[in-house]
Structure formats: C-alpha cells, structure tokens
Amino acid sequence: MKNLLLMFVFVLLLFPHATFSAPSGGAKTTGDKTVTAEGNGASKQDALLQAKRAAVEEGIGVVLSSQTEVENFMLKKDKVITQSFGSVRSFNTLKEEQKGDTWYVKISAVVSLDSITADLMALKILLVSMDKPRTMVLIQEEGGQNAESTVVDFLQSKGFDLVDPAQAAALMAKDDPFIRKAIEGDPVAAAKLGAENGAEYVVVGSVRKSILANEVIKDTGMKSGQASLTLKVVNCSNGRIVATKSATGASVHIADDIAKSQAAAKAATNLMDKKLFEAIVTSFQDTINNGANYEVVISGVKSYGLQKSAAKILEDTEGVVSVTKRSFGSGKLELSVLFKGSAESFCDHIDNKAVDESKLVVTNIAGNRIALNLQ
C-alpha cells in the first residue's frame, strides 16, 4: 500500500493537470485517449506547443504503470515527451486568449496510447525497469537469414540488448538434435539453450518460402514469392511461453530466390510491427507490475527458528511481493518468491544479508532457480 501511495504522489507531481479514475477490470493502456490540456507562452504558437506537451505528459502518465517507470521517466522526461509528440493525433482549441505579453491556450487532444507505448524512449524506460534483459533470436530459414536479420534489426532499433547474432548463427550451423528441438519450439529446450548462452528471453521459429503462381504477373516474367513465419518467445528463467504468433509476406521479383527472400523479410516485419512486439512489451509490463516467480533453495538452515528468520528476511527485501514456503527439512528450505525484477537483481538484494548471526550467500543461479547458503 505504501508503494502504491508513493507512486500516486509521483504521478501527481509529474502530471498536475491529469484526472484519474478507478480502473474496471484492469487499466486500459491501448487505443486513443482524449485529454484536456492547457499551455502558456510568449506567443499563441508557443502556448499551443506547451498545451500539446501537457497532453503528451498525461498520455505517458497513463502508460507508465510502476513506481520504477515513473522514477526513470523523471530522469528522461524532456527527451521522452519530445520523442512522443507524434502521439497527438488531433486536437480542438477550446479557448485561447492573450493577457499582456502571455498567451493562454486550452485544447482537447486525442492522444495515441499505442504510439506512446511503442515509442523508443518510452520502451527504453521499460527495458531499464526490466534490467535490460538479453534476447537471443534463432530462426530456421532455408536459403538465407532474411527473417532473422529483420527481427534482429527491429529489436535493436527498439533498444533491446541482444546475444551476438554471430553466436546465434554458430548454434544454428550445428547439427545438434537439442538445438533443433529448441528451434522447433520446445519451450524447455529453448529456455535451456537461451540460458546457456546468456539470454533471458529467446525468440525461436522457422519460415517457409515458396513461389506461387500468379495470373496477374504470369506474362511479365516476374515471380511471386510467398513466406509464412511462425515465432515463439520463451522466458528462459521459467520456460514459459510469452507468445506464439504467425504472419505472412509476399514479394514480386524476376528471380525466385530474391522474391522468396524479400517475402520472408516482409513476413518478419509484419509479425514484429504488431503481433509479436506487443506481446513482448505486454509480458514485460506484467513482470514489472506483478513480479516474476523464482524458486529459491536455502541450504545450511539448521533450525526451525532459523528458517522462519530467513523467510522473513526475504519477505522484507525490496521488490519482493510474496514468499511461499514449499518445504523444510534436512537443513534445506525451499521457497517460491515473487519478485519485481530479474534473478540477478534479486540476488543483488539478498547476497550477504544477515540472518540472525549468519548471512545469506548466493551460490548458484540457473534460470528461475536460485541457490543460497546460510553461513
């Protein structure tokens, strides 16, 4: 409750002209939002610019959904607002007047929340909140890497931290049944492969390409390339599927190979532009808002009282939402911990923390499993 109140105060400080209402069935952060905003300036144009800025501020306030995001926004406020000016779709002037050397403008503006969410700077705030998770892309494509290159370029343009594509290409070149299993979409294999290569998320899938007979162009010598792409995003920490999406693409060229390659690139663009990218962002938002689940095993717990103290220390750790005891016996305490952040961030918070006369030491991190020792 305290964190919620703090977050509300931050938002009020940032967006003094915003009005808030209780959400029903979850806050809506997609579509368009109509807001009323005011601005003052030395000229009518400057006052209008300030009013638009206030409208964008309110839209960003709706999209940002955690105290961490708000705090990060405070550090980058001017850049984010400037970058998001294009999110004002339209506006009507409700009032304008000049008082001495100052102009006052009041507008009703339609702000695109989708545009703000997809905005590069706004996304960077979300990525920082997630401790910039590394993503690996592995897409099987016969006769090229057009789909994979398109996906990699898209994610890089959005500020994602990617596993070196050359490292991914080396894995693809191996005739390894386990790697094939991961690329074919087995979430356990994909999660393990991603974790072994330093990724928190892995994008796996395959593209099918063909030449389709087309009556319209049959006498021109051109070929109609077709491509169908299916991708799956897997969270490497828990093996859970973030999203599975498919898209198609088509391209015309005189050469078969080029027509198919261009179609594969278009399929990847179509998939990332809307379906898959939105699913990734939604997953990140959910992790920031609700936390990620980690299985924590503490060894060296010599008494019932000590295990209660250890669990209490974790419960009181910043970012921990809940701690559930799974078992205790033979000196081991097993817990499920819901934490708002990455496994590494959780370990940074708890490593060397005192528990009575002992201290917690992180000994191993493997996906969503964290091993601690009470010394």
Side-chain angles (χ1 to χ4, degrees), residues 49-110:
L49 187 66
Q50 294 304 316
K52 287 184 178 180
R53 178 186 174 90
V56 171
E57 260 188 85
E58 185 169 340
I60 292 174
V62 174
V63 171
L64 300 184
S65 54
S66 74
Q67 182 180 332
T68 304
E69 287 179 310
V70 172
E71 289 170 343
N72 285 329
F73 171 71
M74 290 174 71
L75 300 176
K76 306 175 183 178
K77 180 176 178 181
D78 290 336
K79 288 184 179 180
V80 175
I81 292 174
T82 301
Q83 188 77 21
S84 300
F85 255 50
S87 65
V88 177
R89 291 190 180 277
S90 61
F91 70 92
N92 293 318
T93 301
L94 303 178
K95 185 178 182 180
E96 60 180 34
E97 60 180 2
Q98 186 178 16
K99 295 181 179 179
D101 295 332
T102 303
W103 277 88
Y104 166 81
V105 173
K106 183 177 183 179
I107 64 172
S108 174
V110 177

Coordinates of all heavy atoms in Angstrom, one line a residue, residues 49-110:
L49 N 2.0 24.8 -28.2 CA 3.1 23.7 -28.0 C 3.1 23.2 -26.6 O 3.2 22.0 -26.4 CB 4.4 24.3 -28.4 CG 5.6 23.3 -28.5 CD1 5.4 22.3 -29.6 CD2 6.9 24.1 -28.7
Q50 N 3.0 24.1 -25.7 CA 3.0 23.7 -24.3 C 1.8 22.9 -23.9 O 1.8 22.0 -23.1 CB 3.1 25.0 -23.4 CG 4.4 25.7 -23.5 CD 5.6 24.9 -23.2 OE1 5.7 24.1 -22.3 NE2 6.6 25.0 -24.1
A51 N 0.6 23.3 -24.5 CA -0.6 22.5 -24.3 C -0.5 21.1 -24.8 O -0.9 20.1 -24.2 CB -1.8 23.2 -24.9
K52 N 0.1 20.9 -26.0 CA 0.3 19.6 -26.6 C 1.3 18.8 -25.7 O 1.1 17.6 -25.5 CB 0.9 19.7 -28.0 CG -0.1 20.2 -29.0 CD 0.6 20.2 -30.4 CE -0.4 20.6 -31.5 NZ 0.2 20.6 -32.8
R53 N 2.3 19.5 -25.2 CA 3.3 18.9 -24.3 C 2.6 18.3 -23.0 O 2.8 17.2 -22.6 CB 4.3 19.9 -23.9 CG 5.4 19.3 -22.9 CD 6.3 20.4 -22.5 NE 7.2 20.0 -21.4 CZ 8.4 19.4 -21.6 NH1 8.8 19.3 -22.8 NH2 9.2 19.0 -20.6
A54 N 1.6 19.1 -22.5 CA 0.9 18.7 -21.3 C 0.0 17.5 -21.7 O -0.2 16.5 -20.9 CB 0.0 19.8 -20.8
A55 N -0.6 17.4 -22.9 CA -1.4 16.3 -23.3 C -0.6 15.0 -23.4 O -1.0 14.0 -23.0 CB -2.0 16.6 -24.7
V56 N 0.7 15.2 -24.0 CA 1.5 14.0 -24.1 C 2.0 13.5 -22.7 O 2.0 12.3 -22.5 CB 2.8 14.4 -24.9 CG1 3.8 13.3 -24.9 CG2 2.4 14.7 -26.4
E57 N 2.2 14.5 -21.8 CA 2.6 14.1 -20.4 C 1.5 13.2 -19.8 O 1.8 12.2 -19.2 CB 2.8 15.4 -19.6 CG 4.2 15.7 -19.4 CD 4.4 16.9 -18.4 OE1 4.4 16.6 -17.2 OE2 4.4 18.0 -18.9
E58 N 0.3 13.6 -20.0 CA -0.8 12.9 -19.4 C -0.9 11.5 -20.0 O -1.1 10.5 -19.3 CB -2.1 13.6 -19.5 CG -3.3 12.9 -18.8 CD -4.5 13.7 -18.7 OE1 -4.5 15.0 -18.9 OE2 -5.6 13.1 -18.5
G59 N -0.7 11.4 -21.3 CA -0.8 10.1 -22.0 C 0.3 9.2 -21.5 O 0.1 8.0 -21.3
I60 N 1.5 9.7 -21.3 CA 2.6 9.0 -20.8 C 2.3 8.5 -19.4 O 2.6 7.4 -19.0 CB 4.0 9.8 -20.8 CG1 4.4 10.0 -22.3 CG2 5.1 9.1 -20.1 CD1 5.6 10.9 -22.4
G61 N 1.7 9.4 -18.6 CA 1.3 9.0 -17.2 C 0.4 7.8 -17.2 O 0.4 7.1 -16.2
V62 N -0.5 7.7 -18.2 CA -1.4 6.5 -18.3 C -0.6 5.2 -18.6 O -0.8 4.2 -18.0 CB -2.5 6.7 -19.3 CG1 -3.3 5.5 -19.5 CG2 -3.4 7.9 -18.9
V63 N 0.4 5.4 -19.5 CA 1.1 4.2 -20.0 C 2.1 3.7 -18.9 O 2.2 2.5 -18.7 CB 1.9 4.5 -21.3 CG1 2.9 3.4 -21.6 CG2 1.0 4.8 -22.4
L64 N 2.8 4.6 -18.2 CA 3.7 4.2 -17.2 C 2.9 3.6 -16.0 O 2.0 4.2 -15.5 CB 4.5 5.4 -16.7 CG 5.4 6.1 -17.7 CD1 6.2 7.1 -17.1 CD2 6.3 5.1 -18.4
S65 N 3.3 2.4 -15.6 CA 2.4 1.7 -14.6 C 3.1 1.2 -13.4 O 2.6 0.4 -12.6 CB 1.8 0.5 -15.4 OG 2.8 -0.3 -15.9
S66 N 4.4 1.7 -13.1 CA 5.0 1.3 -11.9 C 5.8 2.4 -11.3 O 6.2 3.4 -12.1 CB 5.9 0.1 -12.1 OG 7.1 0.5 -12.8
Q67 N 6.1 2.4 -10.1 CA 6.9 3.5 -9.4 C 8.3 3.6 -10.1 O 8.8 4.6 -10.3 CB 7.1 3.2 -8.0 CG 7.9 4.3 -7.2 CD 8.0 4.0 -5.7 OE1 7.2 3.3 -5.2 NE2 9.1 4.5 -5.1
T68 N 8.9 2.4 -10.4 CA 10.2 2.4 -11.1 C 10.1 3.1 -12.4 O 11.0 3.9 -12.7 CB 10.7 1.0 -11.3 OG1 10.7 0.3 -10.1 CG2 12.1 1.0 -11.9
E69 N 9.1 2.9 -13.2 CA 9.0 3.5 -14.5 C 8.8 5.0 -14.3 O 9.4 5.8 -15.1 CB 7.8 2.9 -15.3 CG 8.0 1.6 -15.8 CD 6.7 1.0 -16.5 OE1 5.7 1.1 -15.9 OE2 6.9 0.6 -17.7
V70 N 8.0 5.4 -13.3 CA 7.8 6.9 -13.1 C 9.1 7.5 -12.7 O 9.5 8.6 -13.2 CB 6.7 7.1 -12.0 CG1 6.7 8.5 -11.6 CG2 5.4 6.6 -12.5
E71 N 9.9 6.9 -11.8 CA 11.2 7.4 -11.4 C 12.1 7.5 -12.6 O 12.8 8.6 -12.7 CB 11.8 6.5 -10.3 CG 11.0 6.6 -9.0 CD 11.5 5.6 -8.0 OE1 12.1 4.6 -8.4 OE2 11.2 5.7 -6.8
N72 N 12.2 6.5 -13.4 CA 13.1 6.6 -14.6 C 12.6 7.7 -15.6 O 13.4 8.3 -16.2 CB 13.1 5.2 -15.3 CG 13.9 4.2 -14.6 OD1 14.9 4.6 -13.9 ND2 13.5 3.0 -14.7
F73 N 11.3 7.8 -15.7 CA 10.7 8.9 -16.5 C 11.2 10.2 -16.1 O 11.5 11.1 -16.9 CB 9.2 8.8 -16.6 CG 8.6 10.0 -17.3 CD1 8.7 10.1 -18.7 CD2 7.9 10.9 -16.6 CE1 8.1 11.2 -19.3 CE2 7.3 12.0 -17.2 CZ 7.4 12.1 -18.6
M74 N 11.2 10.4 -14.8 CA 11.6 11.7 -14.2 C 13.0 12.1 -14.7 O 13.3 13.3 -14.9 CB 11.6 11.7 -12.7 CG 10.2 11.7 -12.1 SD 10.2 11.4 -10.3 CE 10.8 13.1 -9.8
L75 N 13.9 11.1 -14.9 CA 15.3 11.4 -15.3 C 15.4 11.7 -16.8 O 16.3 12.4 -17.2 CB 16.2 10.1 -15.0 CG 16.3 9.7 -13.6 CD1 17.1 8.4 -13.5 CD2 16.9 10.7 -12.7
K76 N 14.4 11.3 -17.6 CA 14.4 11.4 -19.0 C 13.2 12.2 -19.6 O 12.9 12.1 -20.7 CB 14.5 10.0 -19.7 CG 15.6 9.2 -19.2 CD 15.6 7.8 -19.8 CE 16.6 6.9 -19.2 NZ 16.6 5.5 -19.8
K77 N 12.6 12.9 -18.7 CA 11.3 13.5 -19.0 C 11.2 14.3 -20.3 O 10.4 14.0 -21.2 CB 10.8 14.4 -17.9 CG 9.5 15.0 -18.0 CD 9.1 15.8 -16.8 CE 7.8 16.5 -17.0 NZ 7.4 17.3 -15.8
D78 N 12.2 15.2 -20.5 CA 12.2 16.1 -21.7 C 12.3 15.3 -22.9 O 11.7 15.5 -23.9 CB 13.2 17.2 -21.5 CG 12.9 18.2 -20.5 OD1 11.7 18.3 -20.2 OD2 13.9 18.8 -19.9
K79 N 13.3 14.3 -22.9 CA 13.5 13.5 -24.1 C 12.3 12.7 -24.5 O 12.0 12.5 -25.7 CB 14.8 12.6 -23.9 CG 16.1 13.4 -23.9 CD 17.2 12.4 -23.8 CE 18.6 13.2 -23.9 NZ 19.7 12.2 -23.8
V80 N 11.7 12.1 -23.5 CA 10.6 11.2 -23.7 C 9.4 12.0 -24.3 O 8.8 11.6 -25.3 CB 10.1 10.5 -22.5 CG1 8.9 9.7 -22.7 CG2 11.2 9.6 -22.0
I81 N 9.1 13.2 -23.8 CA 8.0 14.0 -24.2 C 8.3 14.4 -25.7 O 7.4 14.4 -26.5 CB 7.7 15.2 -23.3 CG1 7.2 14.7 -22.0 CG2 6.7 16.1 -23.9 CD1 7.0 15.7 -20.9
T82 N 9.5 14.9 -25.9 CA 9.8 15.4 -27.3 C 9.7 14.2 -28.3 O 9.1 14.4 -29.4 CB 11.3 15.9 -27.3 OG1 11.4 17.0 -26.4 CG2 11.6 16.4 -28.7
Q83 N 10.1 13.1 -27.9 CA 10.1 11.9 -28.8 C 8.6 11.5 -29.1 O 8.3 11.0 -30.1 CB 10.8 10.7 -28.2 CG 11.0 9.5 -29.1 CD 12.1 9.7 -30.1 OE1 13.0 10.6 -29.9 NE2 12.1 9.0 -31.2
S84 N 7.7 11.7 -28.1 CA 6.4 11.3 -28.2 C 5.4 12.3 -28.7 O 4.2 12.1 -28.7 CB 5.9 10.8 -26.8 OG 6.7 9.7 -26.4
F85 N 5.9 13.4 -29.2 CA 4.9 14.5 -29.7 C 4.0 14.0 -30.8 O 2.9 14.4 -31.0 CB 5.7 15.7 -30.2 CG 5.7 16.8 -29.2 CD1 6.0 16.6 -27.9 CD2 5.4 18.1 -29.6 CE1 6.0 17.7 -27.0 CE2 5.3 19.2 -28.7 CZ 5.6 19.0 -27.4
G86 N 4.5 13.0 -31.6 CA 3.7 12.5 -32.7 C 2.5 11.7 -32.2 O 1.6 11.3 -33.0
S87 N 2.4 11.4 -30.9 CA 1.3 10.7 -30.4 C 0.0 11.5 -30.3 O -1.1 11.0 -30.1 CB 1.6 10.1 -29.0 OG 1.8 11.2 -28.1
V88 N 0.1 12.8 -30.5 CA -1.1 13.7 -30.5 C -1.7 13.6 -31.9 O -1.2 14.1 -32.9 CB -0.8 15.2 -30.2 CG1 -2.0 16.0 -30.3 CG2 -0.2 15.3 -28.8
R89 N -2.8 12.8 -32.0 CA -3.4 12.5 -33.3 C -4.1 13.7 -33.9 O -4.1 14.1 -35.1 CB -4.4 11.3 -33.2 CG -3.7 10.0 -33.0 CD -4.7 8.9 -33.1 NE -4.1 7.6 -32.9 CZ -3.4 6.9 -33.8 NH1 -3.2 7.4 -35.0 NH2 -2.9 5.7 -33.6
S90 N -4.9 14.4 -33.0 CA -5.7 15.6 -33.4 C -6.0 16.4 -32.2 O -5.9 15.9 -31.0 CB -7.0 15.2 -34.1 OG -7.8 14.4 -33.2
F91 N -6.4 17.6 -32.4 CA -6.8 18.5 -31.2 C -7.8 19.5 -31.7 O -7.8 19.9 -32.9 CB -5.6 19.1 -30.6 CG -4.9 20.2 -31.4 CD1 -5.3 21.5 -31.3 CD2 -4.0 19.8 -32.3 CE1 -4.7 22.5 -32.0 CE2 -3.4 20.8 -33.1 CZ -3.7 22.2 -32.9
N92 N -8.6 20.0 -30.7 CA -9.5 21.1 -30.9 C -9.2 22.2 -29.9 O -9.0 21.9 -28.7 CB -11.0 20.7 -30.8 CG -11.4 19.7 -31.8 OD1 -11.1 19.9 -33.0 ND2 -12.2 18.7 -31.5
T93 N -9.1 23.4 -30.4 CA -8.9 24.5 -29.5 C -10.2 24.9 -28.7 O -11.2 25.3 -29.4 CB -8.3 25.8 -30.2 OG1 -7.1 25.4 -30.9 CG2 -8.0 26.9 -29.3
L94 N -10.1 24.8 -27.4 CA -11.3 25.1 -26.6 C -11.3 26.6 -26.2 O -12.4 27.2 -26.1 CB -11.4 24.3 -25.4 CG -11.4 22.8 -25.6 CD1 -11.4 22.0 -24.3 CD2 -12.6 22.3 -26.4
K95 N -10.1 27.2 -26.0 CA -10.0 28.6 -25.6 C -8.6 29.1 -25.9 O -7.6 28.4 -25.7 CB -10.3 28.7 -24.1 CG -10.4 30.1 -23.5 CD -10.7 30.1 -22.1 CE -10.8 31.5 -21.5 NZ -11.2 31.5 -20.0
E96 N -8.6 30.3 -26.3 CA -7.3 31.0 -26.5 C -7.5 32.5 -26.2 O -8.4 33.1 -26.6 CB -6.7 30.8 -27.9 CG -7.5 31.3 -29.0 CD -6.8 31.0 -30.4 OE1 -6.2 30.0 -30.5 OE2 -7.0 31.8 -31.3
E97 N -6.5 33.0 -25.4 CA -6.6 34.4 -25.1 C -5.3 35.0 -24.8 O -4.4 34.3 -24.4 CB -7.6 34.7 -23.9 CG -7.2 34.0 -22.6 CD -8.2 34.3 -21.5 OE1 -9.2 34.9 -21.8 OE2 -7.9 33.7 -20.4
Q98 N -5.1 36.3 -24.9 CA -3.9 37.0 -24.6 C -4.0 37.9 -23.4 O -5.0 38.7 -23.4 CB -3.4 37.8 -25.8 CG -2.0 38.4 -25.7 CD -1.5 39.1 -26.9 OE1 -2.4 39.5 -27.8 NE2 -0.2 39.4 -27.0
K99 N -3.2 37.7 -22.5 CA -3.2 38.6 -21.3 C -1.8 39.2 -21.2 O -0.8 38.6 -20.8 CB -3.4 37.7 -20.0 CG -4.8 37.1 -20.0 CD -5.0 36.4 -18.7 CE -6.4 35.7 -18.6 NZ -6.7 35.0 -17.4
G100 N -1.8 40.5 -21.6 CA -0.5 41.2 -21.7 C 0.5 40.6 -22.7 O 0.1 40.5 -23.9
D101 N 1.6 40.1 -22.2 CA 2.6 39.5 -23.1 C 2.5 38.0 -23.1 O 3.3 37.3 -23.7 CB 4.0 39.9 -22.7 CG 4.3 41.4 -22.8 OD1 3.6 42.0 -23.7 OD2 5.1 41.9 -22.0
T102 N 1.5 37.4 -22.5 CA 1.4 36.0 -22.4 C 0.1 35.5 -23.1 O -1.0 36.1 -22.9 CB 1.4 35.5 -20.9 OG1 2.5 36.0 -20.3 CG2 1.3 34.0 -20.8
W103 N 0.2 34.4 -23.8 CA -0.9 33.7 -24.4 C -1.3 32.5 -23.6 O -0.4 31.8 -23.0 CB -0.5 33.3 -25.9 CG -0.7 34.4 -26.9 CD1 0.3 35.3 -27.2 CD2 -1.8 34.6 -27.7 NE1 -0.2 36.1 -28.2 CE2 -1.5 35.7 -28.5 CE3 -3.1 34.1 -27.7 CZ2 -2.4 36.3 -29.4 CZ3 -4.0 34.6 -28.6 CH2 -3.7 35.7 -29.4
Y104 N -2.6 32.2 -23.6 CA -3.1 31.1 -22.9 C -4.0 30.3 -23.9 O -4.8 30.8 -24.7 CB -4.0 31.5 -21.7 CG -4.9 30.4 -21.2 CD1 -4.4 29.4 -20.3 CD2 -6.2 30.2 -21.6 CE1 -5.1 28.4 -19.8 CE2 -7.0 29.2 -21.1 CZ -6.5 28.3 -20.2 OH -7.3 27.3 -19.7
V105 N -3.7 29.0 -24.0 CA -4.4 28.1 -24.9 C -4.9 26.9 -24.1 O -4.1 26.3 -23.4 CB -3.5 27.7 -26.1 CG1 -4.2 26.6 -26.9 CG2 -3.2 28.8 -27.0
K106 N -6.2 26.5 -24.4 CA -6.7 25.3 -23.8 C -7.2 24.4 -24.9 O -7.9 24.9 -25.8 CB -7.9 25.6 -22.8 CG -8.5 24.4 -22.1 CD -9.5 24.8 -21.2 CE -10.1 23.6 -20.4 NZ -11.2 24.1 -19.4
I107 N -6.8 23.1 -24.9 CA -7.2 22.2 -26.1 C -7.8 20.9 -25.5 O -7.6 20.5 -24.4 CB -6.0 21.9 -27.0 CG1 -4.9 21.1 -26.1 CG2 -5.4 23.2 -27.6 CD1 -3.7 20.6 -27.0
S108 N -8.5 20.3 -26.4 CA -8.9 18.9 -26.2 C -8.2 18.1 -27.3 O -8.4 18.3 -28.5 CB -10.5 18.8 -26.4 OG -10.9 17.4 -26.4
A109 N -7.3 17.2 -26.8 CA -6.4 16.5 -27.7 C -6.7 15.0 -27.6 O -7.0 14.4 -26.6 CB -5.0 16.8 -27.3
V110 N -6.6 14.3 -28.8 CA -6.7 12.9 -28.9 C -5.2 12.3 -28.9 O -4.5 12.6 -29.8 CB -7.4 12.4 -30.1 CG1 -7.4 10.9 -30.2 CG2 -8.9 13.0 -30.1

